[in-house]
Amino acid sequence: MSELDSKAEQIREKQISRFENGHFDALVIGGGINGAVAALALRSHGVNVGLFEKNDFASGVSQESSNLVWGGFKYLESYEVKLVAGLCHSRNRLARSYPSQLTETRFLATLDASSPFAPWFASIGANAYWAIGQFATKRPRYRSPRTIKRLEPSIEIDSLLGGIEYSDYLLIENDSRFVIQMLVDAEERGAAVSNYTTVIEAERVSQKWKLKVRDQILGKEFEVSSDVLVNAAGPEIKEISEMTKTETESHLVFSKGVHLVVPKVTDSGRILAFFDETQRLFYVIPMGKCSVIGTTDERVEKPEVSVEGADIEFLLQEANRKLSLSRPLLKEDIIAERVGVRPLVIAKGGVDQDKDWTELSRKHIVEVNRKDRVISILGGKLSDCLNVGEEVVDGLDDLGYKTVKPSSRWYGEPSAAEKSIFFHKAKEIVTEKDSIEKLWRRHGSRSHEILKKIETTPTDGKNFSEIIDYCPAEISVMKDYEFIFTLEDFMRRRSLLGQTIHPEELMQDDGFKNLKKCLFD
Ligand SMILES: Cc1cc2nc3c(=O)[nH]c(=O)nc-3n(C[C@H](O)[C@H](O)[C@H](O)COP(=O)(O)OP(=O)(O)OC[C@H]3O[C@@H](n4cnc5c(N)ncnc54)[C@H](O)[C@@H]3O)c2cc1C
């Protein structure tokens, strides 16, 4: 961890002093999507809540997803209509509430003789999915091989029978930024949240949870207590259960998933979907100036995983089999790798057999342990995070705490009126429409502050370089609000830069040097 200057040290002292020897209604362990949404929902319902994340926020599985917010089309394969209806409802709610961060994206799924469905059958499925999703997106379309070639020249159509086009949503910036924005919102509403703080001991004493926490930044330990504990440690939920000597009725199993970031495959903005040789859907997904290919789905026993040579070989081979690029994708083309485990829930009494492995429903379970006053979140995706937040609030009510119904929506971007005020003002100061939209998408209410800084010092509104589309005014505000301690925090989780620009290109860029100075000097 880099040395802190005295100002940064003071800021950190202030962050930690909010916890030291304090007492909270609820303390959340884990700063991934589940912890973030729990903290935001609880705080918005009048709960005095704190959150600890042992590494950076969203540095667990929540930075390794496919960035998709979807209603679970593939679960129609196993006729789980109720699950799909619930997920679609959650997807639609999320898309309506975060209109600048989520974009409706067309999926073009191609089918050949080896695919599990004929195009006509997939077409019926896509229409059913559209209807279950309350017709909230554009209608699905059948596409012939010829049309597919016209729409997406990079797709190899030789053996294609046809394809279907349908919609779901994509997080434009990335999964981790979405989580961090939620945490910053929770903080602004009065929650105490802290990254680089590990819960090392938890004990139930006199009807309270007493936690010992290590601050990784200042290198000190402190104590804090709460009435309720929320276990949102994702794949490490069992370790927290062991530490607290509590149990969950459901348990997790893990599936490793790898994505590779490569140069852009298509400019269309579509997500290309193919069935791989194991009959699983394989995607080419837009990510900034790049494409992401993936993913794998391999059962593993432990959550600590890494990208192996065989994963890379499999993904490149599948991509090259389904695409006809000017030259095949090679190992050298890989700009970044993403790997994590999907935490899949086996409900109490559920089976955990290999044959059911890929059919395991991606449901979440929020368990309330009344005796020990612990709420545990098992599974839980970005796509249905709002349901998770509300279930955690219900859990607290279940434990006898009277939460307060918020007067306005507890989630989502600022109001349309605020957005319109920002856009109106921004047009006088920032000339490019794209830049205005980007500022709003990335920073929401905090973009007013950025605008003021640009108004005072116009040069602070200029991007660092052609490849670094951030300006000093943005960085200054991000430093104030976003708990950035290392370069990786910024490059990997606050922005897409670390995954979409080749490290060698970055090293040669003068703007990158200035960005580093701006972040840490
Ligand atoms: C390959 C892949 C693709 C996916 N694609 C999608 C997708 O497109 N859409 C979607 O909705 N979902 C997707 N998912 C699923 C989704 O990413 C996860 O379900 C979700 O991110 C889990 O969030 P979480 O908060 O439970 O876990 P995490 O993000 O792992 O957060 C748990 C946190 O707890 C912290 N922690 C653990 N112990 C302690 C401690 N003692 N003290 C303090 N902190 C602690 C960890 O450091 C970690 O950051 C995908 C998953 C994978 C692996």
Side-chain angles (χ1 to χ4, degrees):
M1 185 113 345
S2 58
E3 287 281 303
L4 293 189
D5 61 30
S6 62
K7 186 180 166 218
E9 201 169 315
Q10 268 175 16
I11 294 173
R12 180 65 176 185
E13 291 278 8
K14 207 168 142 208
Q15 275 165 15
I16 296 301
S17 67
R18 296 180 66 187
F19 294 104
E20 278 169 314
N21 302 314
H23 181 77
F24 289 78
D25 298 327
L27 283 171
V28 181
I29 305 180
I33 185 60
N34 287 327
V37 79
L40 179 64
L42 289 172
R43 184 59 213 142
S44 310
H45 286 77
V47 178
N48 180 20
V49 62
L51 177 145
F52 298 114
E53 164 54 53
K54 69 175 175 180
N55 299 311
D56 186 21
F57 295 132
S59 59
V61 194
S62 299
Q63 67 172 355
E64 310 291 359
S65 82
S66 308
N67 287 321
L68 301 176
V69 168
W70 52 7
F73 185 15
K74 66 180 175 182
Y75 308 139
L76 282 184
E77 265 181 57
S78 41
Y79 302 103
E80 292 180 89
V81 176
K82 205 168 149 218
L83 170 69
V84 176
L87 286 174
C88 281
H89 176 70
S90 187
R91 174 201 71 181
N92 294 349
R93 209 154 60 115
L94 212 55
R96 277 197 307 272
S97 325
Y98 293 91
S100 56
Q101 294 174 57
L102 288 178
T103 182
E104 181 179 337
T105 303
R106 295 301 266 175
F107 284 60
L108 180 57
T110 60
L111 301 145
D112 59 25
S114 69
S115 304
F117 312 105
W120 66 268
F121 189 70
S123 209
I124 293 174
N127 278 286
Y129 184 56
W130 182 51
I132 294 169
Q134 311 253 303
F135 310 106
T137 58
K138 280 193 226 147
R139 72 176 312 143
R141 303 279 303 265
Y142 165 78
R143 298 296 190 188
S144 68
R146 234 178 52 191
T147 311
I148 291 174
K149 196 69 191 169
R150 181 173 55 76
L151 295 173
E152 294 293 344
S154 65
I155 294 182
E156 175 60 64
I157 59 159
D158 276 359
S159 59
L160 286 194
L161 299 174
I164 47 160
E165 209 179 358
Y166 65 96
S167 292
D168 262 316
Y169 292 84
L170 178 70
L171 280 161
I172 303 177
E173 291 294 329
N174 63 15
D175 42 12
S176 48
R177 176 142 198 91
F178 185 70
V179 171
I180 289 161
Q181 272 176 298
M182 215 173 240
L183 284 161
V184 172
D185 286 350
E187 237 252 339
E188 287 200 300
R189 289 179 195 194
V193 307
S194 178
N195 50 355
Y196 296 108
T197 38
T198 313
V199 177
I200 49 176
E201 279 174 32
E203 173 182 28
R204 192 121 175 90
V205 186
S206 318
Q207 308 295 311
K208 284 184 188 141
W209 279 106
K210 223 170 122 191
L211 267 54
K212 191 187 261 186
V213 183
R214 181 179 298 130
D215 172 4
Q216 319 277 10
I217 304 281
L218 299 175
K220 64 176 190 180
E221 289 174 8
F222 60 89
E223 288 188 345
V224 59
S225 66
S226 68
D227 294 333
V228 175
L229 207 58
V230 179
N231 183 351
E236 291 171 89
I237 202 152
K238 194 165 158 226
E239 283 73 5
I240 300 297
S241 296
E242 281 167 6
M243 179 166 70
T244 53
K245 300 192 178 66
T246 59
E247 275 180 14
T248 54
E249 293 186 333
S250 319
H251 69 276
L252 292 179
V253 289
F254 306 123
S255 145
K256 173 178 152 184
V258 177
H259 290 99
L260 303 177
V261 185
V262 295
K264 201 179 241 180
V265 166
T266 168
D267 283 324
S268 70
R270 279 193 192 82
I271 292 176
L272 314 182
F274 314 101
F275 282 97
D276 66 22
E277 60 180 19
T278 63
Q279 305 277 307
R280 279 198 76 254
L281 272 171
F282 176 93
Y283 298 102
V284 177
I285 304 170
M287 186 203 257
K289 295 175 192 149
C290 297
S291 294
V292 184
I293 60 170
T295 167
T296 58
D297 190 355
E298 178 199 348
R299 179 166 193 161
V300 289
E301 293 305 319
K302 296 227 159 65
E304 299 80 24
V305 286
S306 58
V307 181
E308 310 286 336
D311 299 320
I312 295 180
E313 219 170 278
F314 171 77
L315 292 175
L316 291 179
Q317 184 186 305
E318 285 303 321
N320 288 326
R321 223 158 52 91
K322 300 292 182 177
L323 299 169
S324 67
L325 301 170
S326 54
R327 66 161 180 78
L329 282 171
L330 303 171
K331 243 178 166 175
E332 296 71 55
D333 294 316
I334 300 168
I335 299 165
E337 302 168 345
R338 293 163 70 94
V339 58
V341 290
R342 300 172 186 86
L344 307 176
V345 196
I346 308 274
K348 185 184 174 190
V351 285
D352 170 14
Q353 289 171 2
D354 279 335
K355 74 178 169 62
D356 296 314
W357 176 244
T358 48
E359 289 165 27
L360 266 184
S361 287
R362 270 57 160 167
K363 289 177 201 158
H364 67 262
I365 292 182
V366 175
E367 267 189 25
V368 181
N369 175 336
R370 289 198 188 83
K371 181 172 130 292
D372 297 316
R373 298 179 78 74
V374 178
I375 300 175
S376 303
I377 309 168
L378 295 101
K381 292 176 290 299
L382 294 134
S383 304
D384 59 355
C385 63
L386 298 182
N387 292 340
V388 170
E390 282 161 2
E391 286 171 41
V392 172
V393 172
D394 290 347
L396 220 73
D397 284 332
D398 206 12
L399 292 173
Y401 188 95
K402 288 206 171 26
T403 58
V404 184
K405 207 166 184 282
S407 55
S408 57
R409 208 174 54 181
W410 62 269
Y411 51 87
E413 293 175 7
S415 67
E418 189 180 336
K419 181 176 176 183
S420 145
I421 292 169
F422 170 75
F423 272 67
H424 189 74
K425 177 94 184 132
K427 271 186 216 149
E428 296 165 11
I429 300 166
V430 182
T431 41
E432 304 85 29
K433 188 165 172 270
D434 278 2
S435 304
I436 299 173
E437 278 169 5
K438 203 169 55 191
L439 284 180
W440 180 256
R441 181 174 71 238
R442 286 179 182 165
H443 308 287
S445 288
R446 291 171 288 281
S447 46
H448 300 289
E449 266 184 65
I450 298 173
L451 212 55
K452 261 197 204 136
K453 285 182 190 286
I454 301 177
E455 197 174 19
T456 315
T457 316
T459 48
D460 283 356
K462 299 255 169 298
N463 284 346
F464 282 95
S465 70
E466 291 247 315
I467 58 171
I468 298 182
D469 62 342
Y470 281 79
C471 64
E474 269 183 285
I475 299 300
S476 160
V477 169
M478 289 171 83
K479 271 171 75 171
D480 285 347
Y481 288 96
E482 297 193 8
F483 302 85
I484 300 169
F485 290 99
T486 70
L487 185 60
E488 202 204 331
D489 294 348
F490 175 78
M491 298 298 283
R492 174 68 173 85
R493 286 173 289 277
R494 308 302 185 278
S495 74
L496 282 173
L497 300 176
Q499 290 174 87
T500 53
I501 308 176
H502 204 283
E504 277 172 24
E505 200 183 346
L506 266 179
M507 289 307 160
Q508 285 162 12
D509 189 67
D510 284 339
F512 182 49
K513 291 185 194 112
N514 293 334
L515 166 73
K516 283 195 280 190
K517 265 199 216 142
C518 198
L519 270 168
F520 298 113
D521 279 359

